[in-house]
Amino acid sequence: MEQNHGLLIVLSGPSGAGKGTLCQELLRQMPQVKYSVSATTRQPRPGEVDGLHYFFRSREEFQAMIEQDQLLEWAEFCGNFYGTPKFAVEQAIHAGNDVILEIEIQGALQVKKRFSQGVFIFVVPPSMDELAQRIHKRGTESEEIIQKRLKTAARELEYVSEYDYVVINDEIPIAVDKLKSILVAEKCRVKRKPYVFQGV
Ligand code: 5GP
């Protein structure tokens, strides 16, 4: 059995569930895990850096990436496009690194079709009230966008059954420990076989 391919980890969950925070903490504690930087047509938030948080692209540039088959998956979310550049993910996995994709559900379902051996984790907030509070507290979106994101979140929760694991993000250190345990357990799976990229 070939063991030298890394894990492809997909982390989804409603906006405000705390995926970003969990992801950062996981990367800090497990430096062998690489973060897949997505492309997006969304405007940068204060403090967001091109190439680090996202590749900020125009709609035309994003369209060109789709046409040139540069994206592993892509989706429209609340009026903007988001997608995972294929090249970096493939390179990291083949080099034996684990890669984490922090992406929404439509994209995660596309990845699931291509990588049946991926590890699909859904992060949920302790409650919808808590979710609303967190998004308001973040203070980075207008009320209109917040309402849109909350509606989307309610719909997204219905997809939890498509995932392998669910982690309730009540307390960050506990949720991070759960994520780490999932990765450790996944690496011990007897049946873990090399990833097969379709069309690559
Ligand atoms: P935000 O605008 O809050 O950074 O992200 C909005 C949503 O898009 C989040 O659920 C985030 O996980 C998701 N997202 C970020 N990058 C990607 C991507 O490359 N592909 C897909 N499908 N979703 C993404």
Side-chain angles (χ1 to χ4, degrees), residues 40 42-45 48-50 54-58 61:
T40 184
R42 157 165 93 53
Q43 290 298 308
R45 293 183 184 132
E48 282 184 333
V49 177
D50 186 41
Y54 279 107
F55 295 110
F56 294 101
R57 296 291 180 258
S58 66
E61 287 167 335

Side-chain angles (χ1 to χ4, degrees), residues 105 122 152-162:
I105 293 160
F122 201 81
T152 307
R155 279 202 309 272
E156 284 180 328
L157 289 172
E158 294 170 15
Y159 283 87
V160 66
S161 61
E162 297 282 347

Side-chain angles (χ1 to χ4, degrees), residues 11-12 17 22 121-125 160 165-170 174-176 178-179 182:
L11 202 64
S12 299
L22 295 185
I121 308 172
F122 201 81
V123 177
V124 292
V160 66
Y165 298 95
V166 61
V167 171
I168 300 173
N169 185 16
D170 199 346
I174 296 174
V176 172
K178 287 181 182 167
L179 291 177
I182 292 168

Side-chain angles (χ1 to χ4, degrees), residues 19 38 42 45 54 73 82-84 102-104 149:
K19 297 180 300 260
S38 296
R42 157 165 93 53
R45 293 183 184 132
Y54 279 107
E73 59 72 37
Y82 296 81
T84 304
E102 189 199 317
I103 64 176
E104 55 69 66
R149 284 184 175 236

